[in-house]
Amino acid sequence: MCGIISGLTPGIHANMIAALLLGFSPALLPLLGPEGMAAILIATLITHSFLEIIPATFLGVPDDGTSLSVLPAHSLTLDGKGEEAVRISALGSLWGVIFAIPLALAALWFIPFLQSSVDILTGSLLVLIMGMVIVRSEAAGWLCAICLVSGILGLFAFRFEYLSWNTLGAGSILMPLLTGLFGLPFLLTASEGTIPRQRFSGLSIPTRTVARAALPGTLAGLVVGWLPGLSTASANTVISGWIPYDQERFHYLAAIGASTLANSIIGIAVFVAIGRMRNGVMAAFSGFETPPILFLLTIACLAALGAYGITVCLAGTASSLSGLNSSYLNTGVAITLVLVCGILTGPFGLVILILATGIGMIPEMIAVSRVPCMGVVTIPVILYSFGVW
């Protein structure tokens, strides 16, 4: 239930739910014990990771794990294929769990021995990835400029993040950054009219093709979940270098779904192996004794099965959106996002939102890829990895 609420509500992340549960832990821990608290936290994280694709698809609202997937998912909704987009993303997520579980167990053996070397190579790997994305483009100059400007904004935002509010433990500066770069520009430039009739007559690609697309997504999620300072948004950038999100939309959504869940799974293994907390949910584990890894991964599997079923059921209601005035809907969502950013991050967050929206409008105006906007995350991580910032 916690994962459903956070996954479907724009601006609410699983980290916020974890912070609230941790606040109530003095009352919950005696009742549930460490295993019960761990089960709630893991199930929240996994369920959120499945369901966050729904607002990304039908409302164009980005989250850390859906920043780039908003583009193909929402465009498929405009083609009347929103339900299929959600189903393929959910299926990719399920394959991501299947692939990631054995890899996470294997990682427990070698993570402690390789971690020091991996810390050193993080910056170089990101430079390589972003360089490949930019050089392979037909407008390399524009993409390089967008990447650098986004990176400067990221450096500014993270440097002065202490100026933002931290309402209910949810005030991450990533929210206005990603909303401005990927959410609001899409909503502000979306075509007017009504949402096309949503129809579903089966998946356009077979299940084995979804599994093949999910495998590189799983590997990207595992790598990014292991490397220090990176997030699911960085995995999106990696995947976009392999699978063009504007040409192979279904394959890209399957890969992104797998990446998001693999990132969550490897985060559990990294915490157990070396004690590093890759997200707010893992940070909440520091408040009590951590159960065995097999117990945590079993809960993750059970939650994934339940969340997959819930996501598919909710996707089946997509036809009820047919005929809605998209202009009013986009305006309402945009206003809601601005209000949520203001409530959770305060005036400084709104300033970052305005600046990010200005940068995010540039790719739309000159018709180039929006991937270099991820420089807002990657450039600060690169500089931090090299000890420059």
Side-chain angles (χ1 to χ4, degrees), residues 230-274:
L230 303 186
S231 66
T232 311
S234 303
N236 294 353
T237 307
V238 175
I239 294 169
S240 66
W242 292 335
I243 306 174
Y245 67 79
D246 55 345
Q247 299 174 17
E248 302 178 32
R249 295 181 294 180
F250 287 126
H251 297 77
Y252 184 80
L253 288 174
I256 289 293
S259 169
T260 302
L261 268 297
N263 188 290
S264 300
I265 297 297
I266 196 65
I268 299 172
V270 170
F271 176 77
V272 173
I274 58 176

Side-chain angles (χ1 to χ4, degrees), residues 93-379:
S93 297
L94 193 60
W95 276 111
V97 174
I98 294 172
F99 290 145
I101 292 291
L103 293 174
L105 287 172
L108 290 173
W109 296 97
F110 60 78
I111 283 179
F113 303 103
L114 299 179
Q115 190 62 50
S116 58
S117 301
V118 167
D119 291 346
I120 298 173
L121 295 175
T122 300
S124 301
L125 179 62
L126 277 179
V127 171
L128 176 63
I129 293 169
M130 290 303 297
M132 290 176 57
V133 171
I134 293 173
V135 170
R136 291 173 59 183
S137 170
E138 297 179 357
W142 274 110
L143 266 62
C144 183
I146 293 171
C147 181
L148 291 175
V149 173
S150 300
I152 292 171
L153 176 62
L155 291 171
F156 172 76
F158 293 125
R159 172 65 180 82
F160 296 101
E161 185 175 7
Y162 63 87
L163 296 175
S164 66
W165 294 355
N166 193 27
T167 309
L168 297 176
S172 170
I173 205 65
L174 270 177
M175 182 189 176
L177 282 172
L178 297 178
T179 298
L181 290 170
F182 298 98
L184 287 183
F186 193 94
L187 295 171
L188 295 175
T189 58
S191 58
E192 298 182 356
T194 58
I195 294 179
R197 185 171 68 87
Q198 301 298 302
R199 54 193 181 278
F200 176 72
S201 56
L203 299 182
S204 300
I205 57 177
T207 302
R208 62 179 180 274
T209 303
V210 176
R212 283 200 298 267
L215 184 56
T218 301
L219 296 176
L222 290 172
V223 171
V224 170
W226 178 16
L227 296 178
L230 303 186
S231 66
T232 311
S234 303
N236 294 353
T237 307
V238 175
I239 294 169
S240 66
W242 292 335
I243 306 174
Y245 67 79
D246 55 345
Q247 299 174 17
E248 302 178 32
R249 295 181 294 180
F250 287 126
H251 297 77
Y252 184 80
L253 288 174
I256 289 293
S259 169
T260 302
L261 268 297
N263 188 290
S264 300
I265 297 297
I266 196 65
I268 299 172
V270 170
F271 176 77
V272 173
I274 58 176
R276 288 196 178 180
M277 296 167 282
R278 304 292 290 129
N279 52 58
V281 173
M282 290 298 102
F285 273 74
S286 61
F288 54 90
E289 182 182 354
T290 305
I293 182 67
L294 288 178
F295 173 84
L296 299 178
L297 294 180
T298 301
I299 293 297
C301 290
L302 295 174
L305 291 174
Y308 173 76
I310 294 169
T311 304
V312 169
C313 289
L314 291 177
T317 65
S319 58
S320 62
L321 297 174
S322 303
L324 286 179
N325 189 302
S326 60
S327 178
Y328 292 155
L329 180 62
N330 291 335
T331 301
V333 172
I335 293 173
T336 301
L337 287 175
V338 173
L339 291 175
V340 171
C341 281
I343 293 171
L344 296 183
T345 60
F348 181 73
L350 291 177
V351 171
I352 296 299
L353 178 65
I354 293 171
L355 295 174
T357 302
I359 297 173
M361 292 292 289
I362 297 174
E364 194 76 29
M365 295 168 61
I366 60 178
V368 298
S369 170
R370 200 179 293 273
V371 173
C373 289
M374 289 312 303
V376 73
V377 175
T378 56
I379 287 182

Side-chain angles (χ1 to χ4, degrees), residues 42-126:
I42 295 295
T44 298
L45 176 63
I46 298 299
T47 305
H48 174 97
S49 299
F50 269 89
L51 289 171
E52 65 182 354
I53 190 60
I54 293 180
T57 301
F58 297 113
L59 303 179
V61 179
D63 199 353
D64 185 24
T66 60
S67 49
L68 286 178
S69 60
V70 164
L71 308 177
H74 198 62
S75 66
L76 285 167
T77 299
L78 299 180
D79 293 340
K81 300 179 179 179
E83 180 178 351
E84 186 176 3
V86 172
R87 284 176 175 268
I88 287 180
S89 176
L91 190 57
S93 297
L94 193 60
W95 276 111
V97 174
I98 294 172
F99 290 145
I101 292 291
L103 293 174
L105 287 172
L108 290 173
W109 296 97
F110 60 78
I111 283 179
F113 303 103
L114 299 179
Q115 190 62 50
S116 58
S117 301
V118 167
D119 291 346
I120 298 173
L121 295 175
T122 300
S124 301
L125 179 62
L126 277 179

